[in-house]
Amino acid sequence: MNPQSDAPRHVVATAADADTVLRRLARDGWTARPGFALPDPAWDVAAAHIVLHGRIGDDDTDAARLAVLAAARGAGVVAVCDTESAAGRALIDDLARIGPVHRGVDGADPVASLIPEQRALLDRLAAGDTIAAAAAAEFLSLRTANRRIAEARALFGVRTTREAVLAYLRQRQPD
């Protein structure tokens, strides 16, 4: 998994939504910086846990370009823009090529949306079980377990089960 897939990418409609997302990210150890220009000359800035934020207007192609470049370099991005405009849709499409994009503040906590079966399966997979072994231990058919895991992958915005397990482990609350 590349480091860029770990960085948060949010496109929100208002500055208040951006503040909510930025507060959540700050609690998770991200450092917020206004604007989308990266001062660090190193290409991969994922280890710095920087999240860049700002407003992107409908005709502000420079800010959109900088936001996508920052995301490609591993920085988090929180962009305030009209998601229904052509520029907003283009920004979301470009960011989605790098990794999952959350629209609004709702996408910040996918773990809360997991059903108990999905949590149990992800816990067992994290412990090293295969999907078949996890399904048997949870008294589920293999088909149901595969469906639950596929739903979890979609919820986390990842393609592989391994990425879903890693995202779950990073985002779940300690017991």
Side-chain angles (χ1 to χ4, degrees):
M1 187 163 73
N2 62 13
Q4 290 84 2
S5 63
D6 293 343
R9 283 168 294 282
H10 293 267
V11 178
V12 296
T14 67
D17 289 346
D19 289 340
T20 300
V21 171
L22 289 169
R23 278 194 302 275
R24 287 180 185 166
L25 292 173
R27 282 194 309 259
D28 291 339
W30 290 85
T31 303
R33 296 182 117 168
F36 295 108
L38 280 170
D40 192 344
W43 175 260
D44 186 2
V45 296
H49 277 83
I50 297 171
V51 61
L52 304 175
H53 61 92
R55 179 172 295 281
I56 298 178
D58 289 342
D59 57 348
D60 196 355
T61 58
D62 287 337
R65 183 182 54 77
L66 286 173
V68 172
L69 179 61
R73 291 178 58 188
V77 171
V78 178
V80 178
C81 74
D82 177 10
T83 59
E84 300 304 315
S85 71
R89 287 191 305 269
L91 175 66
I92 291 169
D93 288 345
D94 289 344
L95 289 173
R97 288 186 182 96
I98 299 166
V101 178
H102 301 285
R103 295 187 200 181
V105 296
D106 297 346
D109 189 16
V111 172
S113 301
L114 292 172
I115 62 174
E117 286 177 345
Q118 290 168 321
R119 289 176 191 263
L121 289 168
L122 289 169
D123 282 334
R124 290 188 180 278
L125 292 173
D129 286 354
T130 64
I131 293 177
E138 293 301 321
F139 303 104
L140 298 171
S141 72
L142 182 57
R143 181 177 175 170
T144 298
N146 279 323
R147 279 196 311 237
R148 297 292 185 258
I149 296 299
E151 292 163 357
R153 284 195 310 263
L155 190 63
F156 285 113
V158 297
R159 290 183 303 209
T160 68
T161 299
R162 179 180 179 271
E163 288 174 319
V165 170
L166 291 173
Y168 172 71
L169 290 174
R170 274 192 310 276
Q171 295 179 20
R172 74 176 177 182
Q173 298 298 321
D175 296 322

